[in-house]
Amino acid sequence: MSTGTEVRPGTRSGLGQSVRRPDGTPKVTGTFAFSSDLFARGMLWGRTLRSPHPAARIRSIDTSIAERMPGVASVLTARDVPGRPTYGLEHADQPVFASETVRFQGEPIAVVAAEHPELALRAVAAIEVDYEVVTPLTDAEAAIGAAPIHPDGNVFRHLHLRHGDLDAVGAVSVEGSYEVGMQDQAFLGPESGLAIPVDDGGVELFISTQWLHVDRDQVAACLGLPPERVHLTLSGIGGAFGAREDVSLQVHVCLLALRTGRPVKMLYSREESFHGHVHRHPARLWYRHHADPDGRLVKVEARIVLDGGAYASSSTAVIGNAVCFAAGPYRVPNADVDGWAVRTNNPPCGAMRGFGAVQVCFGHEAQMDRLAAALAMDPVELRLRNALAPGDELPTGQVITGTAPVREVIEAAMALEPPPLAATDPPADGTMDLPGGAGLTATRADVVRGTGLAVGFKNLMYSEGFDDASTANVRVELDHRGEPLATVHCAAAEVGQGFVTLAQQIVRSVLGVEQVALRPADTTIGSAGSTSASRQTWMSGGAVELACLAVAEALAERAGYGGGAPDEVLDLDVVELLREGPIDRTRAHHHPPTEPLDEDGQGDAHVSFAFAAHRAVVDVDPELGLVKVRHIATGQDVGRALNPQAVIGQIEGGIAQGLGLAVMEEMLLEDGRLRNPSFTDYLIPTALDMPPVTATLIEQPEPGAPFGAKGVGEPPTISSTPAIVAAIRAATGLELPRIPVRPEHIALAEA
Amino acid sequence: MPISRPTDVTATLDALAASPDADLLAGGTDLVVEVNLDRRRPEHVIALRRVTELAGHDTTDGRLRLGANVTYSEVEHDLAQLVPGLAMAARTVGSPQIRNAGTLGGNLGTASPAGDTLPWLLAMDAEVELASPEGDRSVPLANFLTGPKSTARRPAELITGVRLPRVEGPQHVSKIGPRNAMVISVACFAIVLDTTNRRVRTGMGAVGPTVLRSPDAERAVTQALDWDALTCPEDAIDAFGRACAEATAPITDHRSSAEYRRHAVGVLARRALRRCLST
Ligand SMILES: Cc1cc2nc3c(=O)[nH]c(=O)nc-3n(C[C@H](O)[C@H](O)[C@H](O)COP(=O)(O)OP(=O)(O)OC[C@H]3O[C@@H](n4cnc5c(N)ncnc54)[C@H](O)[C@@H]3O)c2cc1C
C-alpha cells in the first residue's frame, strides 16, 4: 500500500518533471550497447534448426554430419536436455526441442554452436530431419472439438462469465461478428543473448528479457540446476511489447555454453525473430448488445475465440482479460460472455501490449456505434450515458473502488480541436499528406473525411490472485568527493518505458539526493516481476519508494529522531549523517491481493484499471481503399503524470501500434505458414502514416497507488485501433468487420 | 571473397570476363538483402561505385543519357526538371537511406516487376545501354525485360546507362502500396503526354510478369485527346482506365490480390491522365 509520500515541488529532476532518460543520449547517438552487441573473448555462435512444417511427426534426426564439421563445437537436440524437457510461462507445455511432434512452423529441433556464425549456419543446414508431414489444424473454432494435437488438449481455457439476469432483453438489440488478425510486436532489436559457463557448474546469462526471474526459473528447470546456479543480467533491449515475456533462446544458449564450456552468443535474424517469439492472439468475436430506448445498456452477450497457436504461453490470462473487459468501460447490469483460448498449429500467441483488451475493444466499440445507429443517437452521447464511474460494478461483480474517469477521458478526446488540420485542411494536391502518401495517387477531390471515437480500458498489474511483487534496494553513501550518492538496485527490466528515469526521480523526490546511480538489473536481488501489464511504475516504483522511506527512517534514527520521521529527511544534514557510513535497505512492494474468478467469471480479480478514449480523424480514398490518419485526440486516465514527457512518449508509441493494427500490421498465415516474416512485408507505420497526436492527461490520483500514478503503457494501444476504424466507417459507410483493414476491403467493397 | 574495384568500364569488363560468376555491386540495396536472406552467396564481387562512366547524365543529339550509377536521390533532387516523372517515381522508393544508395542500374539489373523506375522508363521507350568485350549494344527496355527478375543481359555485359528521347508535355507517376511510404509497389502507373510527337505513352508496374503497357489504350486515348487544348472527353478517360486495367496480368500474393491490382491500376490510369490535362 502507498505510504503517501508528498512530492515536494522544487526538487530538481524529481517526480512530476519531464526528466531526460539517462540512456537517451547513448541511444540516439548509437553508443548504447544492445544485447545484440554482446561479445566475449573466445565465444562460439549458436544457431537454431527450425521446422519448415507447421505440423509433422519426426521420424529421425541425424546430426552426425554436422557434428563432424570443422569448427562445430556442439550439436544438441531434445536428448541433450538434462532437466525438464518443456517450459512455459504458466504451463510448461512447450518442448525445449521438438523430438517427436512438430506443432508450428519454426519450432526448434536442434541447436549448434560453432566458431563462426557462418559455420553454425552450415552445420544447421547439414542436420538431416526426416519429417512425416501432417495436415495442420489451423482453424481455432474447429480446434475446440478436434482431436487433440498435444497431450494437454486443444483448449487452453474456457471461461464463461455469467452476470445478472441472463434472460433480460432490451427494447433494441444489435448483433455483429468481428475478426482481428495476428499482430506482431515488431520490436527492432532481435532476440539475442550471451551465456558464460561458471566454475561451479552454473551459468551466467546476459539477456534481453521482460522478466529476469521467470526466465531464470524456467532455464534452471530445463538445465536441471538449482535456480541459484543460474544468474541472469539484463542486457540492452530494443523494444519488447510482450514478445520478450516468453523464453526464446535462453535455454538453448545456456545448454550450449554448459556443454562446450565456452561462452556462446545467439542472435536471431529478422526472419527467425518473427518465428521465435509469441504474437498477439487473432480473435473471432460475436456480440449482441441490448439497450433500453434511452440507450442504457441492458445486457451484453459475447462469444470470443482466441487462437493461441501451438503452445500455452500466457493464453489463459489473455482470455481472462478478454472476457473480463469484453463489454468495455460501460455499466452493464447483465452479461453472458463465453470465451475460449485454443491450441492450433499456428504460431504461438501470448502477451502483447493491451493483452486481450485490444481484441475485444475492436468488437465492443463497433457494437456501440451500431447501437447508436439503431437508436438514432449520437455515439458519443451513448457512451457517456453508459460510462463506468467509481462505485459501479463490472460484469465480474467487482466494484470499482479506485478512480474511473471514463466520462472525463471521452470529454477530453472530444473537446480537443485538431489544430494541425486547420492550416492544411484538406491537404493540397501534390503533397504527400493525402491518402497514398508518397505514391501521389489521389487529389483532394478523391478524398472523403471521417471521424470516429472509441473508449477502452484494462487492468493494471497481474490479476486473478497473482502476487506479482517487486523488490528494490536503495543504498546511500558519500562519493569520493564527499557528495551524497544513492544507488538503486532493482530487477525491473528497462524495455524502453523509462523505469530507469523514474527510479532516479523517486529517489530525488523522497530522499532529496540529486545523484542517483542505477545498478544493472540482475537476479542477485529479488524479482521485480515482469515489465508488462502497465505495472512497473506502480510495482517497482512502489518498491523503490519503500526502500527510500526505509533509508529515510534510518537517517532519521541516526539524527536522533527515534521512531523515525521520514518526512523530515529532506531537512536533515545528509552529508553529516552519512559520514558514519552507508545506509542500505531492501524492500518488497505488494499490491492489494486479488482473487481468482469463479466458474461464472465472478470475483474481485483485478487491482486497478486504466481508461482512455481516442478520437480519430481520417482521410480515405474510397476508390483505391487508401487511408491517411490525419489526427488523433486522446484523453487518458494516468492517475498522476510522474514524467509527463515519458507519458506522452507512451501515448504516441501506443497509438502508432494501434494504428498499425487498424490498417496494416498482420502476420499473414496460409495453412499455418507465415507469408511475411520480414519488415519488407510485415508493414509497421512510418512517419508519414503517423498523425499528430493531441493528448489531455486526466490526473486523478489513484488511491493505493504509489504517488497516485497509474500505468500508462497499454491504454493508448487499446482504443486507438477501433477509433481509426470507426472513422473509416464514417467516411465510407462500410461495415469493415475485420482488422487490419486492407485497401481491397474498401475499394472492392465499393465496386 | 575477392572484391574488385575498377574505375572504368574497360577494367570492369575485364574483371567480369575473368570471373563470369561475379556479382556486380552498385548501391547494394538489392544485392545485400539477397545475401542477408541467404539467397545469394557471392564468390566474387565487382563494386561499381568508382566506375566514372556510369555516373551522371548528359544530352547528345537531343537524347538524354542517364548513367547506371545515378541514384534515386540524384534523380529526385537534381533531375526533377529534366525527368519529372522519373523524379516522382524515385521519390516513392524506400527511405532516404535507400534512395541515397540505390541506383537506376540496380533497378534494371534486378528487373523486379515492381521496380519503380521501370513503368516510366517503359513509357519513355528507354533503351538500355550494355557494354561487353564484344562491343556495345542498346536494347529497348521492353525487350530487355524478359520476365520477373530476368533480363536479356548476357553474363559478360555491364549496364552502363539508359537512353531516352527528349519529349515535352505533362507527366505523372503514381504508385500504390498499403502504407504511405517505403513500401513495395502493389500497382504503379506512369503516363507521359508527349506533346512533341502527340502521343500518349504509358507504363504499368506490379501488374504483370514485367512492366506492361497497353498499346490499344494508348492509341485510343491519343486519338481522343484534343492536343491543342490538352483536354479529353470524360468517356474517353474512363475507357482509357478500363483498357489499361484489361491489359494487365496481375497475380495474387501476400501483398495484394490480382483483383485489387487490376482495379487499382485502372483508377490510377484514369486519374493520372486527368492530372495531365488542363482543367
Ligand atoms: C528497404 C528497401 C526499400 C526498397 N524500396 C524500393 C522501392 O520502393 N521501389 C523499388 O523499385 N525498389 C526498392 N528497393 C529495391 C532497390 O533499392 C532498388 O531495386 C535499387 O534500384 C537497386 O539498386 P542498387 O544500386 O542498390 O542495386 P544493387 O543491389 O547493387 O544491385 C542489384 C542487382 O543489379 C545488378 N547490377 C547493379 N548494377 C549493375 C550494372 N551496372 N550492370 C549490370 N548489373 C548491375 C546487381 O548485380 C544486382 O543483381 C528497396 C530496397 C530496400 C532494401
Side-chain angles (χ1 to χ4, degrees):
Chain A
M1 286 298 285
S2 166
T3 38
T5 304
E6 277 302 302
V7 177
R8 305 220 173 180
T11 314
R12 263 208 304 137
S13 305
L15 291 168
Q17 296 172 49
S18 291
V19 177
R20 288 227 190 154
R21 303 178 61 97
D23 55 358
T25 303
K27 277 180 175 166
V28 297
T29 54
T31 57
F32 182 83
F34 288 96
S35 58
S36 48
D37 300 319
L38 288 162
F39 177 83
R41 205 182 276 279
M43 74 185 185
L44 296 163
W45 291 82
R47 184 100 196 173
T48 315
L49 171 69
R50 295 175 183 276
S51 167
H53 309 293
R57 272 184 281 282
I58 298 175
R59 290 205 198 92
S60 64
I61 304 172
D62 183 356
T63 58
S64 56
I65 298 172
E67 277 163 33
R68 284 197 303 272
M69 290 170 68
V72 172
S74 181
V75 183
L76 304 178
T77 63
R79 277 199 311 256
D80 304 295
V81 180
R84 197 175 64 193
T86 57
Y87 65 89
L89 268 180
E90 289 163 6
H91 305 279
D93 71 341
Q94 182 158 3
V96 174
F97 298 107
S99 56
E100 288 161 14
T101 311
V102 167
R103 297 193 183 85
F104 74 98
Q105 184 201 21
E107 181 159 8
I109 311 276
V111 285
V112 166
E115 301 289 343
H116 188 278
E118 180 65 28
L119 292 174
L121 203 63
R122 290 183 195 177
V124 160
I127 299 172
E128 284 175 15
V129 184
D130 185 9
Y131 297 100
E132 182 192 333
V133 176
V134 176
T135 307
L137 176 63
T138 56
D139 184 278
E141 280 281 359
I144 295 174
I149 56 169
H150 187 285
D152 296 350
N154 291 352
V155 176
F156 294 125
R157 187 177 183 188
H158 175 214
L159 179 61
H160 194 164
L161 178 148
R162 300 174 188 88
H163 185 75
D165 174 8
L166 300 184
D167 296 326
V169 289
V172 180
S173 75
V174 291
E175 199 175 322
S177 295
Y178 307 93
E179 199 177 327
V180 179
M182 185 186 286
Q183 189 180 20
D184 188 73
Q185 298 83 351
F187 50 54
L188 298 186
E191 289 84 350
S192 39
L194 174 70
I196 301 175
V198 179
D199 290 343
D200 67 358
V203 63
E204 213 177 332
L205 174 63
F206 296 86
I207 186 77
S208 45
T209 179
Q210 288 176 237
W211 189 356
L212 289 164
H213 288 74
V214 84
D215 278 9
R216 183 203 49 193
D217 292 349
Q218 294 178 83
V219 170
C222 295
L223 297 179
L225 288 174
E228 58 277 10
R229 294 265 196 84
V230 179
H231 178 55
L232 272 70
T233 303
L234 191 72
S235 296
I237 296 181
F241 313 111
R244 292 187 211 274
E245 211 167 53
D246 291 80
V247 159
S248 57
L249 53 71
Q250 285 85 330
V251 182
H252 299 157
V253 74
C254 289
L255 280 171
L256 287 170
L258 289 172
R259 180 61 73 96
T260 59
R262 289 172 61 181
V264 179
K265 173 171 175 171
M266 289 185 86
L267 165 61
Y268 285 178
S269 69
R270 179 60 57 196
E271 179 173 355
E272 196 175 13
S273 173
F274 275 103
H275 291 293
H277 59 246
V278 300
H279 318 284
R280 190 191 296 292
H281 290 74
R284 270 184 242 165
L285 311 162
W286 168 86
Y287 273 95
R288 184 157 52 209
H289 277 56
H290 301 256
D292 70 17
D294 294 338
R296 254 170 279 274
L297 288 170
V298 172
K299 186 172 71 171
V300 172
E301 298 170 88
R303 180 179 155 87
I304 303 161
V305 179
L306 299 183
D307 182 350
Y311 296 105
S313 178
S314 48
S315 276
T316 53
V318 175
I319 188 65
N321 266 11
V323 168
C324 287
F325 309 124
Y330 306 112
R331 259 190 312 275
V332 178
N334 309 297
D336 183 344
V337 182
D338 194 24
W340 299 79
V342 302
R343 190 191 307 272
T344 65
N345 290 121
N346 288 321
C349 291
M352 182 174 173
R353 197 176 199 171
F355 205 82
V358 164
Q359 291 91 333
V360 292
C361 191
F362 177 63
H364 66 65
E365 288 307 274
Q367 284 288 106
M368 291 302 275
D369 285 342
R370 229 174 237 201
L371 188 58
L375 289 158
M377 198 172 161
D378 173 28
V380 181
E381 177 52 32
L382 177 69
R383 286 173 170 87
L384 288 172
R385 195 160 289 184
N386 290 285
L388 277 177
D392 284 342
E393 197 185 44
L394 296 171
T396 54
Q398 179 167 359
V399 171
I400 299 182
T401 53
T403 59
V406 181
R407 166 172 289 274
E408 290 86 337
V409 297
I410 295 173
E411 285 172 347
M414 293 310 298
L416 292 165
E417 273 308 307
L421 286 188
T424 54
D425 185 19
D429 288 350
T431 66
M432 294 190 292
D433 288 332
L434 290 162
L440 302 180
T441 52
T443 57
R444 35 204 295 191
D446 303 315
V447 171
V448 287
R449 176 159 292 180
T451 301
L453 170 76
V455 197
F457 81 132
K458 88 173 281 288
N459 52 336
L460 305 173
M461 278 74 74
Y462 282 24
S463 295
E464 298 191 55
F466 201 91
D467 178 17
D468 48 317
S470 178
T471 316
N473 172 276
V474 173
R475 177 188 170 91
V476 289
E477 63 202 313
L478 296 179
D479 70 4
H480 61 285
R481 292 164 311 184
E483 298 286 338
L485 166 70
T487 306
V488 179
H489 189 200
C490 179
E494 172 61 52
V495 304
Q497 83 278 26
F499 178 73
V500 287
T501 324
L502 181 75
Q504 295 181 324
Q505 292 178 263
I506 293 172
V507 175
R508 290 188 192 114
S509 281
V510 180
L511 289 177
V513 174
E514 294 285 338
Q515 224 192 150
V516 188
L518 295 158
R519 276 181 58 186
D522 62 19
T523 50
T524 60
I525 185 167
S527 174
S530 177
T531 299
S532 60
S534 301
R535 60 177 290 287
Q536 287 295 21
T537 293
W538 185 313
M539 296 306 301
S540 293
V544 172
E545 182 199 16
L546 289 181
C548 285
L549 290 170
V551 167
E553 219 168 86
L555 283 168
E557 249 164 57
R558 266 191 199 175
Y561 298 92
D567 279 357
E568 315 276 278
V569 69
L570 295 170
D571 306 322
L572 297 175
D573 184 350
V574 173
V575 174
E576 191 53 43
L577 292 169
L578 287 176
R579 283 198 220 288
E580 283 178 40
I583 293 174
D584 189 303
R585 292 291 181 272
T586 300
R587 288 292 179 273
H589 177 70
H590 299 260
H591 60 67
T594 61
E595 55 188 40
L597 295 167
D598 69 15
E599 57 185 24
D600 289 330
Q602 301 296 296
D604 290 350
H606 307 293
V607 181
S608 174
F609 308 93
F611 305 85
H614 294 85
R615 185 198 59 188
V617 179
V618 304
D619 283 347
V620 184
D621 176 346
E623 208 179 6
L624 289 176
L626 302 179
V627 173
K628 166 87 182 177
V629 181
R630 298 284 299 148
H631 186 256
I632 301 271
T634 179
Q636 186 168 328
D637 159 36
V638 303
R640 267 193 58 201
L642 301 183
N643 185 326
Q645 190 180 39
V647 172
I648 296 295
Q650 289 295 313
I651 288 176
E652 290 181 345
I655 288 171
Q657 223 152 11
L659 186 155
L661 179 60
V663 295
M664 63 182 83
E665 290 191 37
E666 183 173 9
M667 308 254 301
L668 297 165
L669 292 161
E670 197 176 289
D671 300 326
R673 267 173 231 275
L674 184 54
R675 304 287 309 277
N676 56 337
S678 72
F679 280 147
T680 306
D681 285 313
Y682 184 88
L683 300 179
I684 56 176
T686 67
L688 209 51
D689 298 284
M690 182 65 192
V693 170
T694 320
T696 297
L697 309 182
I698 306 298
E699 298 201 65
Q700 294 183 0
E702 172 76 339
F707 314 108
K710 288 186 175 182
V712 301
E714 292 173 286
T717 313
I718 298 172
S719 42
S720 49
T721 306
I724 291 165
V725 179
I728 303 173
R729 288 189 191 112
T732 60
L734 298 170
E735 295 203 350
L736 305 174
R738 186 185 196 282
I739 42 172
V741 176
R742 296 171 68 91
E744 40 263 74
H745 295 161
I746 299 172
L748 299 184
E750 233 213 1
Chain B
M1 182 187 68
I3 298 176
S4 314
R5 292 188 291 179
T7 54
D8 61 30
V9 168
T10 311
T12 310
L13 294 175
D14 288 348
L16 202 50
S19 46
D21 292 339
D23 281 298
L24 296 169
L25 172 75
T29 60
D30 277 321
L31 184 62
V32 176
V33 172
E34 296 258 291
V35 171
N36 283 344
L37 292 178
D38 207 26
R39 290 196 197 127
R40 221 178 327 170
R41 297 259 166 151
E43 299 293 328
H44 183 164
V45 166
I46 302 173
L48 302 176
R49 238 335 141 56
R50 299 170 189 218
V51 181
T52 45
E53 297 103 308
L54 302 187
H57 68 279
D58 53 71
T59 318
T60 38
D61 313 330
R63 287 179 76 77
L64 175 66
R65 179 188 171 276
L66 302 174
N69 275 359
V70 168
T71 64
Y72 295 111
S73 291
E74 287 173 65
V75 173
E76 186 189 344
H77 298 122
D78 307 340
L79 305 181
Q81 298 295 325
L82 207 54
V83 284
L86 190 62
M88 289 182 213
R91 179 58 189 82
T92 73
V93 172
S95 57
Q97 294 93 324
I98 296 297
R99 295 197 288 278
N100 284 338
T103 64
L104 294 180
N107 214 225
L108 288 163
T110 298
S112 160
D116 282 323
T117 63
L118 307 180
W120 185 85
L121 290 174
L122 186 71
M124 292 294 284
D125 295 310
E127 296 200 350
V128 182
E129 289 182 341
L130 296 158
S132 75
E134 275 82 64
D136 299 347
R137 60 174 184 140
S138 66
V139 181
L141 182 63
N143 301 347
F144 177 78
L145 301 169
T146 53
K149 301 203 172 182
S150 80
T151 69
R153 184 179 82 88
R154 297 175 192 134
E157 281 181 327
L158 175 72
I159 302 166
T160 52
V162 286
R163 265 193 282 163
L164 309 161
R166 292 288 317 259
V167 302
E168 299 296 325
Q171 32 189 285
H172 190 73
V173 174
S174 46
K175 159 182 161 182
I176 289 183
R179 174 162 80 180
N180 283 309
M182 208 166 118
V183 65
I184 293 180
S185 176
V186 152
C188 180
F189 190 85
I191 189 166
V192 178
L193 299 198
D194 174 355
T195 50
T196 316
N197 302 295
R198 298 212 154 182
R199 211 192 110 191
V200 174
R201 302 157 159 276
T202 66
M204 301 185 278
V207 287
T210 65
V211 285
L212 302 170
R213 68 197 308 166
S214 167
D216 291 344
E218 289 184 3
R219 215 173 298 121
V221 78
T222 295
Q223 280 163 14
L225 230 89
D226 176 339
W227 285 95
D228 295 314
L230 270 192
T231 56
C232 185
E234 278 301 311
D235 57 345
I237 298 178
D238 290 343
F240 174 67
R242 279 195 304 276
C244 286
E246 273 159 26
T248 61
I251 54 162
T252 291
D253 64 6
H254 56 281
R255 292 180 187 143
S256 191
S257 65
E259 201 187 350
Y260 177 79
R261 290 180 200 264
R262 183 177 289 119
H263 161 81
V265 91
V267 175
L268 290 184
R270 182 160 39 76
R271 290 186 184 174
L273 171 60
R274 198 169 277 134
R275 280 175 105 126
C276 292
L277 299 171
S278 38
T279 42

